[in-house]
């Protein structure tokens, strides 16, 4: 093993994933629907991994005991990456030091960048020759959205049908400089801790009467969004993106007990966005398993939209983010730290 450092950027799905395949090994973490995302500049995880006398995990400067829930997920993931290599020996102990360059307490998808960076750092440190497809599917086993963080620009993850997950693959569809878009991240006041995505997805699968409709209508969104993105058609992409988001949230809300990730401010932001659109400022909303709103727009309308949405009561922070780059690995000298 050697010291390796990986950087992976977070991503936001323009066409959403919600729900896991129930006909296959849960360890494979296969999505029930495909998804299409934009990788985010700036928002990233940097993870350094090297050999050590015993397993240790430091996140944002705080050490987590090996049996703490977050650390045990990290070490289970290292076991998974090690098992993808040729050795039948036990995995050597590792020191993991990870830093999330994401806004503090934002409830943004740090699991996407985090599991992708962990996978890349582990494979590089363990000197495993794994191709990008394998690295992406290993990342997916840590967190579904992490499969998309390997690449910059715009990325598509296809759900596939094979029970071994062999046709569940992610791939870059268009580079970051394809189109000068921005994603505004409009932070709404945080509520009580939301239900985690794995538990929430299972609840929707088993109890939401809208779950099947959500699954059945997703493939058309995926193809429509890719086509709109390719021809740089923002109204068409935005319409599909908002519809995908609202279908997902309708499916969540119709779960029993209900999954309501939005707060009042979330809806106020969306209404202000639609009012701005009527005034000629074009932007389209999406939202994940949390209260924040993400708005896709042209670079030249980003600041005007940000000024307008930033003034909505309850908005606590706002960032303007460009399409981001590929994940990458470096081999720092022994003294270096993240
Ligand atoms: O990757 P997970 O398990 O955190 O799930 C991500 C789910 C959504 O963010 C709601 C949608 C998506 O495709 O990223």
């Amino acid at each position: 093993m050697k010291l390796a450092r990986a950087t992976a950027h977070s991503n936001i799905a323009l066409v959403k994933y919600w729900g896991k395949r129930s006909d296959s090994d849960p360890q494979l973490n296969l999505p029930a629907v495909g998804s299409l995302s934009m990788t985010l500049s700036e928002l990233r995880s940097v993870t350094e991994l090297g050999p050590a006398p015993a397993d240790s995990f430091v996140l944002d400067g705080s050490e987590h005991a090996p049996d703490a829930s977050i650390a045990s997920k990290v070490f289970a993931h290292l076991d998974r990456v090690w098992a993808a290599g040729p050795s039948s020996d036990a995995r050597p102990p590792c020191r993991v030091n990870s830093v999330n360059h994401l806004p503090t307490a934002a409830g943004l998808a740090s699991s996407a960048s985090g599991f992708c960076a962990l996978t890349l750092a582990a494979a590089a440190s363990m000197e495993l020759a794994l191709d990008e497809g394998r690295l992406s599917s290993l990342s997916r086993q840590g967190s579904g959205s992490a499969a998309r963080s390997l690449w910059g620009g715009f990325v598509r993850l296809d759900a596939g049908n094979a029970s071994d997950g062999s046709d569940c693959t992610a791939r870059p569809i268009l580079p970051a400089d394809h189109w000068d878009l921005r994603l505004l991240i409009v932070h709404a006041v945080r509520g009580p801790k939301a239900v985690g995505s794995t538990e929430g997805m299972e609840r929707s699968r088993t109890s939401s009467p809208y779950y099947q409709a959500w699954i059945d209508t997703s493939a058309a969104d995926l193809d429509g969004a890719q086509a709109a993105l390719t021809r740089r058609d923002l109204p068409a992409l935005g319409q599909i993106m908002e519809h995908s988001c609202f279908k997902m949230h309708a499916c969540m809300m119709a779960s029993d007990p209900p999954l309501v990730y939005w707060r009042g401010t979330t809806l106020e932001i969306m209404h202000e966005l639609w009012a701005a659109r009527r005034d000629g400022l074009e932007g389209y909303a999406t939202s994940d398993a949390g209260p924040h709103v993400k708005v896709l727009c042209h670079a030249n309308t980003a600041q005007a939209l940000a000024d307008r949405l930033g003034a909505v009561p309850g908005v606590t922070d706002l960032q303007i983010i460009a399409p981001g780059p590929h994940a990458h690995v470096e081999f720092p000298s022994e003294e270096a730290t993240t």
Side-chain angles (χ1 to χ4, degrees), residues 19-20 22 199-209 211 251 254-257:
K20 296 179 197 287
S22 56
E199 184 188 337
M201 288 182 199
E202 184 60 4
R203 191 187 297 178
S204 294
R205 186 183 71 78
T206 54
S207 69
S208 177
Y211 184 75
C251 171
S255 305
D256 187 17

Side-chain angles (χ1 to χ4, degrees), residues 11-18 20 29 34-37 109 111-112 142-146 148 197-198 201 248-249 252 287-289:
N11 71 78
I12 294 293
L14 309 181
V15 175
K16 300 294 187 192
Y17 141 60
W18 189 254
K20 296 179 197 287
N29 198 27
S35 51
L36 191 154
S37 60
S111 65
S143 168
S145 51
R148 306 183 304 237
S197 60
T198 299
M201 288 182 199
M248 179 181 80
H249 280 274
M252 291 165 162
S287 166
D288 293 286

Side-chain angles (χ1 to χ4, degrees), residues 105-183:
L108 285 166
S110 59
S111 65
S113 52
F115 273 103
C116 184
L118 182 67
T119 305
L120 294 188
S125 172
M126 295 167 183
E127 301 178 74
L128 309 179
L130 304 176
D131 64 22
E132 287 190 327
R134 190 78 184 100
L135 291 167
S136 169
S137 46
L138 282 165
S139 301
R140 184 199 70 229
Q141 290 184 254
S143 168
S145 51
R148 306 183 304 237
S149 271
L150 197 66
W151 297 283
F154 300 89
V155 180
R156 175 172 173 151
L157 173 61
D158 280 307
N161 298 304
S163 58
D164 64 356
S166 53
D167 56 355
C168 174
T169 50
R171 64 181 193 281
I173 50 169
L174 289 158
D177 63 0
H178 166 70
W179 193 5
D180 208 10
L181 292 176
R182 294 291 181 272
L183 197 80

